[in-house]
Amino acid sequence: MPATTPSSPEPAVRVVEVPTVRPRSDWDAWGTDQARLPAGAKAILATILRGRPRPVARRAAPTLTASRIGDADLAALSAIVGEGAATPDDSVRMLHLGGKSTPDLLRRRLDDPQPAPDAVVSTASHDEVLAVLAECQRRGIAVVPFGGGTSVVGGVDPQRGSHDVVIALDLAPTAALLDLDETSLLATFGAGTTGPQAEELLRAHGFTLGHFPQSFEYATIGGFAATRSSGQASRGYGRFDDLVHALRIATPVGDLSLGRAPASAAGPDLRELFLGSEGAFGVLTEVTVRVRPLPGATGYAAWTFPDFGSGAEALREATQRGIRPTVLRLSDATETRVNAALGGHLTRLRGCLAVATFDGADDREVEAARSQLDAVFAAHGGTPRGEDPARSWERGRFSSPALRDTLMDAGVLAETLETATTWTRLAELKRAVTDAVTQTLAAGGTRPIVLCHISHVYAAGASLYFTVVAALTDDPLAQWHAAKDAASRAIGAAHGTITHHHAVGRDHRPYLETEIGTLGVEILRAVKATVDPRGIMNPGALVVPLPASAGGAA
């Protein structure tokens, strides 16, 4: 009897649902509303501001670099995406100037004119993206995929590379729930779906993705995958790359559909080439993720430890024993004091604060996890502090980046950086980065405050997330560049990763070779040369292709 191939069964549920439209953040700020400084901030600012403050005021509107796109190029792209969906209009270009790091926002206050894409092309489907990339490949137009624009490492800067024209490829119109398999617990989203939109669409069916990074309100599903994002609930739900089941990808030379089974031995996993690729190899157009039923109950708890070392040991033991709160974080003594002051609790907390949340099917399951964690923490000197600190953290977890805008108004630099290492090296890495940043900024005449917390935990180690606050100098961009360079070199010397969840972008690219080696960089270049032979995809992000004379892509 001849062999037959059974047809693939249809998913249990097939839907195409479009979410509520979400506003974009302002061109020169993290969000859309100016944040107010908490009452306790004045006491903190008084300790770091020396002499006359140097505030940097916002502008009413930007002056943009002139668009270079020609009529023929614009017409060719418009023929693919439709009239009005490809535009060089300044009001659209200004919303695609790049990311939202502190240097990005400072440049938008200091520089004139602002580097802008030559046009913004909005795409509504995988096929449109594929066609646009093919046309840009033919015409030699650089393409920067653009989701929420929340990169803090220069990942979406409108750079042309060796090309005359660069477009921002806006994926917002792809926002949709394209498929939901309630039996396999898989959901497929258009890449431009934001975090809140994904949760809105899933919640209507009783599910959650559980991915809540600080950029949640503006960042997109495609961006989460392209940067290997790690949400604040990573202990309970996993990093975003843990959640990805399948990817659909458009490249200048064709498309790929990767991931058809929960596990496979069919060679190296090609999804890993595109997770974290930051648009340098192509565009992630559709992402299939693992989802979970909405929790039936959520609990909160907090503790203080006498010092950071004992708190880190408690987190290590709890993690290695398999205890899984949804969120698990530990602040050092400086961050604990600063956060208490910002909240108006100047004398309430001492030591190092740990907060945790617990999602479960019911209250009994939540309480079981909380009791397990409490027992481990007590053995390491942890003192229970009730639910309020954890609830307070949750209320403000998405708003703190907007404080940077208000602090710049007051003449204060506030920026973050992150890394990760093994438990064995954690204390050494924390000390090395803190010293490097403190000494560099002090040499420039400022008195910085360096805060640190453990933001994500694993059996083998943890991530460290640093916040740096200092008075702005006359040249704040050079001020932060020096501090960031010192921190990055310290990370490499202490065997940390140059980035745990912010991605490489352009800011971390000079330090990548220290981590992956010369051969590793050559492998990335070889992949780029294969899928992007003319080097049009996000020039300068992740890896710089070799010039044509050296045998690589131009």
Side-chain angles (χ1 to χ4, degrees):
M1 246 181 115
T4 60
T5 302
S7 59
S8 300
E10 287 295 309
V13 181
R14 288 195 62 84
V15 294
V16 178
E17 299 179 12
V18 179
T20 304
V21 175
R22 297 276 302 181
R24 288 192 182 275
S25 59
D26 290 343
W27 70 276
D28 64 340
W30 176 261
T32 56
D33 298 316
Q34 186 80 354
R36 291 185 178 182
L37 287 179
K42 291 182 179 180
I44 297 170
L45 296 184
T47 69
I48 62 173
L49 291 176
R50 289 180 176 176
R52 179 178 58 84
R54 297 180 176 85
V56 184
R58 295 178 69 177
R59 299 179 177 188
T63 299
L64 306 182
T65 54
S67 173
R68 297 185 184 183
I69 195 165
D71 291 343
D73 289 341
L74 193 61
L77 295 172
S78 296
I80 297 169
V81 297
E83 191 68 29
T87 177
D89 187 89
D90 281 1
S91 66
V92 181
R93 294 167 67 217
M94 69 182 274
L95 297 176
H96 299 79
L97 297 179
K100 293 296 174 69
S101 68
T102 293
D104 291 332
L105 300 177
L106 277 168
R107 278 189 288 268
R108 284 165 213 164
R109 298 183 182 211
L110 296 168
D111 292 347
D112 192 13
Q114 298 294 316
D118 299 300
V120 177
V121 178
S122 298
T123 50
S125 69
H126 172 86
D127 290 343
E128 282 190 358
V129 173
L130 192 63
V132 166
L133 295 189
E135 189 65 24
C136 289
Q137 159 97 339
R138 189 172 74 82
R139 293 175 175 271
I141 297 173
V143 179
V144 177
F146 200 96
T150 60
S151 172
V152 292
V153 292
V156 289
D157 292 352
Q159 293 194 8
R160 298 181 178 89
S162 61
H163 308 285
D164 294 330
V165 173
V166 58
I167 64 166
L169 189 71
D170 193 333
L171 296 163
T174 67
L177 176 62
L178 302 175
D179 201 66
L180 180 62
D181 180 345
E182 296 194 32
T183 302
S184 304
L185 294 181
L186 296 173
T188 300
F189 290 98
T193 311
T194 66
Q197 288 175 327
E199 289 298 324
E200 170 198 332
L201 292 165
L202 288 173
R203 187 171 290 272
H205 297 272
F207 296 103
T208 181
L209 179 58
H211 190 71
F212 301 107
Q214 205 166 50
S215 60
F216 169 76
E217 293 182 308
Y218 300 102
T220 62
I221 294 292
F224 295 153
T227 59
R228 303 183 78 98
S229 172
S230 188
Q232 293 166 336
S234 65
R235 180 58 187 153
Y237 291 94
R239 291 169 55 93
F240 195 79
D241 43 5
D242 297 328
L243 304 178
V244 172
H245 173 79
L247 297 170
R248 196 174 187 194
I249 305 146
T251 80
V253 294
D255 60 355
L256 291 160
S257 292
L258 303 174
R260 60 173 59 189
S264 172
D269 189 346
L270 294 182
R271 291 173 302 181
E272 293 294 330
L273 285 177
F274 293 91
L275 289 169
S277 63
E278 303 183 65
F281 299 159
V283 181
L284 309 183
T285 60
E286 298 176 12
V287 183
T288 301
V289 290
R290 300 175 180 91
V291 298
R292 298 188 190 183
L294 286 165
T298 299
Y300 302 84
W303 301 259
T304 51
F305 291 90
D307 54 65
F308 192 76
S310 60
E313 276 297 293
L315 266 63
R316 179 189 64 78
E317 182 179 339
T319 303
Q320 292 177 344
R321 285 178 54 175
I323 301 171
R324 298 194 72 93
T326 306
V327 171
L328 184 59
R329 299 162 68 86
L330 172 71
S331 294
D332 69 3
T334 303
E335 184 169 281
T336 299
R337 285 198 309 273
V338 168
N339 287 343
L342 290 176
H345 309 298
L346 294 175
T347 61
R348 183 175 175 186
L349 293 174
R350 289 290 184 268
C352 297
L353 178 69
V355 297
T357 70
F358 308 85
D359 286 346
D362 51 35
D363 290 336
R364 181 181 300 179
E365 189 173 302
V366 165
E367 187 53 40
R370 182 161 44 196
S371 295
Q372 284 183 303
L373 197 60
D374 192 48
V376 172
F377 282 10
H380 289 272
T383 301
R385 296 296 182 183
E387 296 186 355
D388 285 351
R391 289 183 179 273
S392 177
W393 167 82
E394 186 178 72
R395 284 193 298 270
R397 62 178 169 168
F398 302 137
S399 61
S400 56
L403 286 174
R404 298 177 308 163
D405 307 320
T406 306
L407 287 168
M408 277 188 272
D409 294 341
V412 177
L413 167 77
E415 185 57 307
T416 63
L417 56 94
E418 40 76 53
T419 180
T421 190
T422 62
W423 292 110
T424 303
R425 295 182 179 273
L426 198 70
E428 173 196 353
L429 180 60
K430 181 178 184 295
R431 182 171 53 252
V433 174
T434 301
D435 289 349
V437 171
T438 301
Q439 292 167 12
T440 302
L441 290 175
T446 62
R447 183 192 308 165
I449 297 176
V450 181
L451 323 176
C452 181
H453 65 259
I454 292 176
S455 57
H456 307 273
V457 293
Y458 309 91
S463 69
L464 293 172
Y465 192 97
F466 296 87
T467 301
V468 183
V469 185
L472 288 169
T473 64
D474 287 331
D475 189 351
L477 289 172
Q479 175 190 18
W480 176 247
H481 176 76
K484 175 75 171 181
D485 179 66
S488 299
R489 294 180 186 280
I491 287 169
H495 299 278
T497 177
I498 193 59
T499 175
H500 171 263
H501 57 267
H502 282 171
V504 174
R506 294 170 178 83
D507 296 356
H508 289 149
R509 194 190 67 220
Y511 312 98
L512 183 60
E513 188 168 343
T514 298
E515 184 164 336
I516 68 174
T518 302
L519 180 58
V521 172
E522 290 177 357
I523 290 171
L524 293 180
R525 284 176 170 154
V527 173
K528 186 169 178 68
T530 299
V531 296
D532 180 24
R534 294 194 68 180
I536 66 169
M537 297 305 307
N538 209 5
L542 183 64
V543 61
V544 177
L546 288 170
S549 60

